[in-house]
Amino acid sequence: METISGKLSYHKGRKVERIRKLRGLSQSDLGERLGGITKQAVSKLEQSENISDEKLQQIADALEVTLEGLKGFNEEKVLYNTINFYENSNVNASSINANVENINNPLKETIEVFERQLEKLREEFIKILKEK
């Protein structure tokens, strides 16, 4: 018997949607990055169970992830890697879970992603402190 999570793991449109959301992009933002397609076209794409590899490559480029990362995206892996990476760093994994980048990349690229994300958070924190 196939589980719901197992079925979703093959649904390419859902992977696109989750990664888009993790990257903090709206459907309109992704549409612009895909050459100006409409929000409705992105919505239809995200509802598609099967997407051609050629189209997936365009989407991966727009989302700034690898094709392999997009195809192999799995939220459980993201959470596991995030928790283990930050286990001893006093960073709350849930605070960065919404903006994970470059899913399923080699360790070096993953570290670079988290360093960029931390830098963005530092800049936001400094901006908030200056406003007070």
Side-chain angles (χ1 to χ4, degrees):
M1 183 173 162
E2 189 174 15
T3 64
I4 293 173
S5 64
K7 185 164 178 71
L8 290 178
S9 70
Y10 296 110
H11 196 291
K12 293 177 183 170
R14 295 285 179 253
K15 292 179 182 193
V16 170
E17 178 184 20
R18 289 301 301 142
I19 293 173
R20 173 184 60 78
K21 288 180 177 180
L22 287 169
R23 300 276 295 145
L25 299 172
S26 67
Q27 288 179 332
S28 298
D29 294 335
L30 180 56
E32 288 175 24
R33 290 181 176 201
L34 289 171
I37 68 172
T38 65
K39 175 182 175 181
Q40 291 78 8
V42 172
S43 176
K44 185 175 180 180
L45 204 155
E46 291 178 349
Q47 294 173 22
S48 302
E49 188 169 343
N50 293 310
I51 302 171
S52 71
D53 283 349
E54 182 179 316
K55 187 66 174 178
L56 272 180
Q57 182 62 61
Q58 294 172 353
I59 295 167
D61 292 341
L63 291 171
E64 298 176 350
V65 298
T66 65
L67 178 60
E68 296 78 22
L70 179 56
K71 284 180 162 183
F73 174 77
N74 179 318
E75 289 180 342
E76 291 173 1
K77 287 181 192 175
V78 173
L79 185 58
Y80 175 81
N81 289 335
T82 302
I83 289 170
N84 286 326
F85 186 79
Y86 285 100
E87 188 175 54
N88 297 316
S89 67
N90 295 326
V91 174
N92 184 341
S94 64
S95 68
I96 59 170
N97 192 31
N99 294 308
V100 176
E101 297 179 14
N102 297 325
I103 312 306
N104 295 332
N105 282 337
L107 183 58
K108 181 180 176 187
E109 291 178 15
T110 304
I111 291 170
E112 291 173 357
V113 166
F114 287 125
E115 287 174 345
R116 286 194 303 269
Q117 193 64 33
L118 284 172
E119 185 59 36
K120 288 179 187 177
L121 291 171
R122 280 188 201 105
E123 290 172 6
E124 290 178 29
F125 182 71
I126 291 170
K127 181 180 176 184
I128 291 170
L129 287 177
K130 287 182 180 178
E131 291 175 0
K132 290 185 177 188

